[in-house]
Each structure stands twice: as C-alpha cells, then as structure tokens.
Amino acid sequence: MKQILAIPAAGKGSRLHSNVPKLFTTVSGTKTVFDFILESLNPEIDLVLLLLSPEGKVYFDTHVAAQAPAQVQVLIQSEATGMFDAVNQLVSHVLSLSEDFRLILQWGDQPFCDQALHDAMWKDLANHDATVPLVWVENPYVQYRFSEQGLQVAERREEEAVDTHGFKDMGIFGLSKSILEQTWAAYAEQAQPGNVTGEKNFVKYIGTLHPQFKVFWRLDQPFYKSLGINTPAELAEAKLYVEQREQLTK
C-alpha cells in the first residue's frame, strides 16, 4: 500500500504581496512553509507530489531541490485556473498509478499539519474511505453543516451563507484509492461552478461523500494546526505562534 502526500501549490501568493510561491514563504527565521511540511513527513510516506506553477518549478530547482528528500516529485500546472483544476491534475496522476494507495491531500499554505496528524489520518484510512479533520471556529470561511438531511458545504467566497460558528476543514483531506475511483470522475464532470468565482470547488466534493461512504470526521485536533497562510495577517499570526511556541520550549 503506497502512502502519498499531494500538495497543490501552484498559487502565486498574490494576497501575500510576495513574488515567492506560497509554499516557500518564510514563516520563522529561514524556515518556510515547505520546511515545516518536510518536518511532518513520516518515513513511511512513499511519495510527496508537489504541483507547482512553471515559475514555482524554477524556484524549486534553484533554491530547494538540492535539499529536498528523494521521494519528492514535482508536477507542473501550466496555468493557475483554481484549486479544483489543481486537485484534478493530482488525482488524475495518482489514479494512473498501478499500485494501491492512500492519499493525503494538503493545501500548500498549511505549515502546521504535523506528523501526528498525518499518522492519525493514515490509520483512519485503514478502516474508512476518507478522513477529514474539522475544527470549530467563528465565522468559518468554509462551513461543514451537518443535519438529518445530510451534509451541506458552504463557502463564503461564493457568497453562500455560513453560521456565526461552525465546523471548517483544516486544509487537509485523506482519501482512499477506491473512493476516488468510484466518485471522482463523476464529480469532476457534474460539479457546478461557484456563484462568484465561476470555478468548480473541491470542498463541495467532500460534501457528496457523506453519508454514502465511510468518512471519518476527525474532531480531536487543536486549532493552531489549521492555520493557513494566505494573507499578511495570517502570516503574522503564524509567525507569532511559532515565536511563542519556541519560548515555551526553551
């Protein structure tokens, strides 16, 4: 059973006002988002797939490749056309592999999804079709709203109503090969574009899995692991968190 970590990271980091791809944004000292992700790698992970823009690939080759682990493989998204297209390219690639696999899909702006979380998710996938860690937050950007009628996934960026408090994902998702084989092609074909962006949305795919499949909703993770870095304010929060954590361990 191959264990694959796939990271869509072809975004340009424009909201960070940076010329460096978000994946290689410095969080603390000289450590980048990618450095934090590398620290989380279990030795049993067989393949790390990075989906980069052409410019990101140049940056990787120039500044990162020499120190990157051997299991890192880079794919190129020639044009940034949204997260769904990035995930579709990664999923299509892993489904072309002959081996059975378990996949963790992690956004390229999530530095704090650590080895303990990865290990828990690999174990989840031994008994479930999918695993999705959720945290309870105020004004979720993406809300997973559960009811007797099923699951609704709402996105603020598409001007869909979200509650004042609710569950949001942590930017990390575990998926088995079997569930992708059964569901991905149909979703990719039938998914409706968002009201505002006009893009198909990956998180809506997660909503289609419940309750037909065995999805493990992991609710035991601390909020800090969900911190993503998309804006200067979020980067400042991540830097402050790391500084405070380092003070505690001195």
Side-chain angles (χ1 to χ4, degrees), residues 24-63:
F24 306 119
T25 298
T26 300
V27 178
S28 175
T30 61
K31 287 177 63 174
T32 67
V33 174
F34 188 53
D35 291 326
F36 278 96
I37 292 174
L38 291 181
E39 288 181 353
S40 74
L41 297 184
N42 184 303
E44 296 180 358
I45 292 180
D46 301 289
L47 177 62
V48 179
L49 284 175
L50 300 183
L51 184 67
L52 302 177
S53 66
E55 297 81 7
K57 176 63 162 58
V58 171
Y59 186 94
F60 177 86
D61 290 343
T62 304
H63 301 284

Side-chain angles (χ1 to χ4, degrees), residues 228-240:
I229 298 176
N230 290 286
T231 66
E234 290 172 341
L235 178 58
E237 182 180 3
K239 287 178 180 288
L240 178 61

Side-chain angles (χ1 to χ4, degrees), residues 69-98:
Q71 68 264 47
V72 173
Q73 177 182 339
V74 174
L75 303 178
I76 297 175
Q77 185 180 21
S78 57
E79 184 178 355
T81 52
M83 183 59 76
F84 174 83
D85 288 341
V87 174
N88 189 40
Q89 184 172 339
L90 286 165
V91 169
S92 299
H93 180 83
V94 297
L95 285 176
S96 71
L97 303 176
S98 58

Side-chain angles (χ1 to χ4, degrees), residues 104-140:
I104 288 180
L105 181 69
Q106 179 174 329
W107 298 158
D109 55 18
Q110 302 291 140
F112 303 128
C113 294
D114 60 9
Q115 182 175 334
L117 175 55
H118 284 179
D119 289 349
M121 293 176 69
W122 297 127
K123 290 178 181 177
D124 295 341
L125 289 173
N127 300 299
H128 297 81
D129 300 308
T131 176
V132 182
L134 301 175
V135 289
W136 184 261
V137 299
E138 185 177 8
N139 297 321

